[in-house]
Amino acid sequence: MHEPGLLEQAFVYLLAGVVAVPLARRLGMGSILGYLVAGIIIGPSVLGLVGEDPEGVMALAEFGIVMMLFIIGLELRPELLGELRGSILGLGFLQTSLTAAAITGIGVACGLPWQQALAIGLIFAGSSTAIAVQTLQETGLMATPAGRGGFSILLFQDITVIPILAMLPLLAAGSPVPAAEGGGVASVLLVIGAAAAIVAGGRFIIAPVFRAIAAARIPEVFTAAALLIVVGVTLAMEVAGLSPALGAFLAGVVLASSEYRHELESDIEPFKGLLLGLFFLSIGATIDFGLVLERPGLVLALVVLLVAVKATIIFA
């Protein structure tokens, strides 16, 4: 079977997005659902137009999430972020801990070992920042108290990814405890050090560089510099083993007070939108319907249970 090349796949992805999203919006659905359905149609499970390995495209498309968090950071002045600290630590902590506890309890009641149940609970306590934030922005809810509360929860979940990853080896069956000893403390110190480096770099290095670039009056160089910041922060956070999205968000918050905030936002926005669309298309293309069809009743029941548990906790 002919494996489509890069240009062929790019054509298919772009065509799917251009056709599906306006159609989905016309039908009253969000753009995310349009991208997901289009990805399912062009993926290996249906038409097979994008080959058997869409994960390679997704690796590039995930960069759209990083750009989205950078732009959100640009829109959040440090003062506003300070106002949200109560929601981040309060709502975020309650949602994450209560959801993890509830799912762990359900897992233990179903006969799972407590280690497996706790691991599942910690994983499913999180949410997709990309889908949630995109939906909040499309519906105009981001600026509302409910939207800010939801975003605070998402931000707390992104922060807790590091200690959760440090905890999972301890929960793995047969994993030696000494191998992970001190890992939690080291991870926390690494997060603090990385955040401090981003803040210092933004205030004392990036701002003067942007002034020099702006003085040259070459728009494409300014755009390249904006992309360079996002790529650089992403690489630095990956090397440190931390969340690139969280690092990009911190960089955006640091630059939110810069006089070039609006220029940065307008330069990166088109790239962000395109890559996010590609990300959702890739998600749709990688859904394993064979696995779903093996036990459809169980999958449906688990999805309904998960949504019910999380919705009840959020409502409370």
Side-chain angles (χ1 to χ4, degrees):
M1 181 178 176
H2 171 64
E3 186 72 17
L6 179 61
L7 286 178
E8 293 175 84
Q9 291 198 55
F11 177 80
V12 171
Y13 276 113
L14 291 172
L15 179 62
V18 168
V19 172
V21 174
L23 183 60
R25 296 298 290 269
R26 183 177 291 273
L27 295 175
M29 302 185 295
S31 63
I32 295 176
L33 190 55
Y35 281 124
L36 290 174
V37 172
I40 291 171
I41 292 173
I42 66 176
S45 298
V46 183
L47 298 181
L49 299 178
V50 292
E52 298 293 330
D53 184 28
E55 285 85 354
V57 176
M58 191 186 296
L60 170 65
E62 285 177 349
F63 192 54
I65 300 175
V66 175
M67 289 189 171
M68 179 182 67
L69 267 294
F70 180 73
I71 291 178
I72 291 173
L74 285 175
E75 296 171 349
L76 283 177
R77 301 180 309 280
E79 309 84 57
L80 181 58
L81 191 60
E83 294 173 10
L84 290 176
R85 68 182 182 277
S87 297
I88 295 171
L89 297 176
L91 284 175
F93 172 77
L94 283 173
Q95 186 276 335
T96 304
S97 58
L98 291 178
T99 303
I103 296 176
T104 300
I106 293 172
V108 171
C110 291
L112 290 176
W114 71 266
Q115 296 95 331
Q116 292 182 22
L118 179 57
I120 293 172
L122 291 171
I123 291 169
F124 280 102
S127 311
S128 170
T129 301
I131 292 178
V133 170
Q134 183 77 0
T135 303
L136 288 173
Q137 289 178 333
E138 286 185 4
T139 53
L141 293 174
M142 182 61 88
T144 65
R148 289 183 178 179
F151 176 72
S152 299
I153 292 173
L154 292 167
L155 187 57
F156 183 86
Q157 291 173 354
D158 285 340
I159 295 172
T160 56
V161 166
I162 306 305
I164 287 174
L165 288 176
M167 189 187 304
L168 287 179
L170 297 174
L171 300 175
S175 175
V177 174
E181 223 168 72
V185 176
S187 297
V188 172
L189 293 176
L190 197 56
V191 171
I192 295 173
I198 289 174
V199 171
R203 292 192 180 279
F204 302 112
I205 299 175
I206 297 176
V209 168
F210 270 120
R211 292 191 189 97
I213 293 174
R217 299 181 182 277
I218 306 176
E220 59 269 25
V221 176
F222 195 92
T223 302
L227 292 172
L228 178 64
I229 290 175
V230 181
V231 174
V233 169
T234 300
L235 288 174
M237 297 298 275
E238 284 185 345
V239 168
L242 305 177
S243 166
L246 182 60
F249 173 78
L250 290 175
V253 171
V254 171
L255 293 172
S257 303
S258 167
E259 61 267 37
Y260 303 110
R261 175 169 70 93
H262 297 294
E263 288 86 346
L264 285 169
E265 189 174 346
S266 61
D267 284 346
I268 290 180
E269 182 70 35
F271 296 97
K272 182 266 292 184
L274 185 62
L275 288 174
L276 264 184
L278 186 59
F279 172 76
F280 293 127
L281 283 167
S282 303
I283 291 290
T286 53
I287 295 177
D288 187 351
F289 283 97
L291 183 62
V292 174
L293 293 175
E294 281 181 13
R295 306 183 75 177
L298 177 62
V299 171
L300 180 60
L302 289 176
V303 169
V304 171
L305 178 63
L306 177 63
V307 172
V309 168
K310 299 187 81 168
T312 301
I313 290 172
I314 290 290
F315 181 80

